[in-house]
Amino acid sequence: MAPPPLRHFTDIASLGQPTIFELLDRSLVLRRQFDDREYPAQTLVGKLQYNLFYENSTRTNLSFEVAAKRLGAMVSMVPVAASSVHKGESLTDTVLTLAAQGADILVLRATEPGTIYRAIAAVEAEGYPTHIINAGEGALGHPTQGLLDAGTVLHALGRTAKEGLRDITLTIAGDILHSRVAASAIEVFAQLGTTIKLVGPASLLPPEAPKGVKTMHEDLESGLHGADIVMTLRIQKERMQTGLGLSEADYHHLFGVTLKTLKAAKPNALVMHPGPMNRGVEIDDAVADDMSRSLIRSQVTQGVVARMAVLEWLHQHV
C-alpha cells in the first residue's frame, strides 16, 4: 500500500529528521510555557477533534483532549463501550460517521494492525478533509509516545533536538517484542544519535536487533551497564503466566528495575516508564517515586505538549 499523504500523522518513519526535530523543539518551547502556566495562541479555535479509542487509555486519551483544548479546539471523546461499535458497526462506518459530522481531526487508537490506514483510506475515498492521528496501533507503533519520551529526556538534560543525545546511552527493558512504545522510541532516539540497548527475556526480544539498536541482552545487569537513561516497560500480567512461563515474582527478580539493579547503570541514571506501571513487577516503588531520578511524572506532562506540537504542526504545515 502506498504511504498516505503527510496530512495524516501515522508513524515516525514517514516524518523525516527535520520534522522530528521541529516537533521536538516546539514541544520543548511549549513545555517551558506549560511549566510557567502560560499557553500559546489558540490556533485551533473552531476545529472539531474526536478521540476514538478502541483500547482503554488514560494518559494518551486525556492528553490529546487537554492538548486540543489548550489550543482552542472542541473535543469529543467517543464512548466506544456505549457506541454503535457494539451493535456491529464497522470501523469504516464509524470513521465516516465522525467525518460526516465535521471532524477536522480524528485521534484513533486500536489493536488491529492496519486500522490507521483503513481509516485514512475511508476519509480519502469520500473526500473528507479529516486529519487522522495514530494514537497507538500495533503495526505502526505509537509515534506521539516516541516524541514525548525523547522530549522528556531533552528537557531533563536542557538540550535541543539539534544538540542531540549522542553521548547518552538508553536501555529499554521489558517486553520489547510486543511494544509499540519501544518501536517508536527506538526510531526517535536513534535520530538523536542515542546509543540504544534492549534487555528482556529471550521470548520478549525481537529475533534481530532493530535498526538503531546497538545491543540486545537477556541479562538485566549487562543490559543496564553504562546506561544514562533506563526505560522500563509494562508487562501484561496474563502474558507472564502464558507467554513467559514466569510468575510476577520471578520476573521481578530477573528483570525488575530496583534501587539494587540500578547500581549496574551509571550513578545518576534517570528512569522512565510510559505507564501504567505494574509496581513490584517491572519497577519498584522506591524507583518510581524517587523524584531525584524518576522522569515518569515529567513524561506525563511532556505528553500534553508533545501532542500540542503535533496538532499545531498539522494545522500549520498541511
Side-chain angles (χ1 to χ4, degrees), residues 286-297:
V287 176
D289 298 331
D290 183 353
M291 293 300 100
S292 69
R293 66 192 315 170
S294 173
L295 297 178
I296 295 169
R297 295 289 179 266

Side-chain angles (χ1 to χ4, degrees), residues 3-177:
L6 203 56
R7 71 185 188 89
H8 305 291
F9 191 86
T10 57
D11 63 307
I12 294 297
S14 67
L15 296 176
Q17 189 180 75
T19 298
I20 292 170
F21 282 17
E22 177 186 350
L23 290 169
L24 286 172
D25 284 339
R26 178 56 180 163
S27 76
L28 295 173
V29 171
L30 292 167
R31 177 62 184 271
R32 289 193 292 270
Q33 295 177 345
F34 192 97
D35 288 343
D36 292 335
R37 291 300 184 263
E38 298 175 358
Y39 302 102
Q42 293 195 325
T43 54
L44 299 185
V45 171
K47 300 295 183 180
L48 173 61
Q49 174 177 305
Y50 279 110
N51 287 6
L52 177 59
F53 279 52
Y54 287 89
E55 288 182 349
N56 293 333
S57 169
T58 300
R59 292 155 189 78
T60 303
N61 199 350
L62 290 176
S63 64
F64 265 113
E65 180 186 12
V66 172
K69 287 181 175 179
R70 289 292 185 194
L71 295 171
M74 300 175 289
V75 182
S76 182
M77 300 170 71
V78 181
V80 170
S83 73
S84 294
V85 169
H86 286 272
K87 297 178 182 178
E89 183 171 79
S90 70
L91 167 78
T92 297
D93 285 339
T94 300
V95 167
L96 290 177
T97 295
L98 300 177
Q101 290 180 351
D104 298 288
I105 301 161
L106 176 59
V107 181
L108 178 58
R109 183 172 193 165
T111 303
E112 187 179 350
T115 300
I116 303 299
Y117 283 108
R118 291 204 306 278
I120 290 172
V123 298
E124 294 287 341
E126 297 210 9
Y128 289 110
T130 307
H131 301 299
I132 307 293
I133 297 178
N134 176 10
E137 192 241 76
L140 289 178
H142 197 348
T144 57
Q145 182 72 43
L147 290 172
L148 79 87
D149 287 337
T152 299
V153 175
L154 291 171
H155 175 264
L157 300 180
R159 300 186 187 182
T160 65
K162 184 177 180 180
E163 289 171 330
L165 298 170
R166 283 169 285 278
D167 58 333
I168 298 298
T169 296
L170 165 70
T171 293
I172 306 177
D175 186 353
I176 311 297
L177 183 64

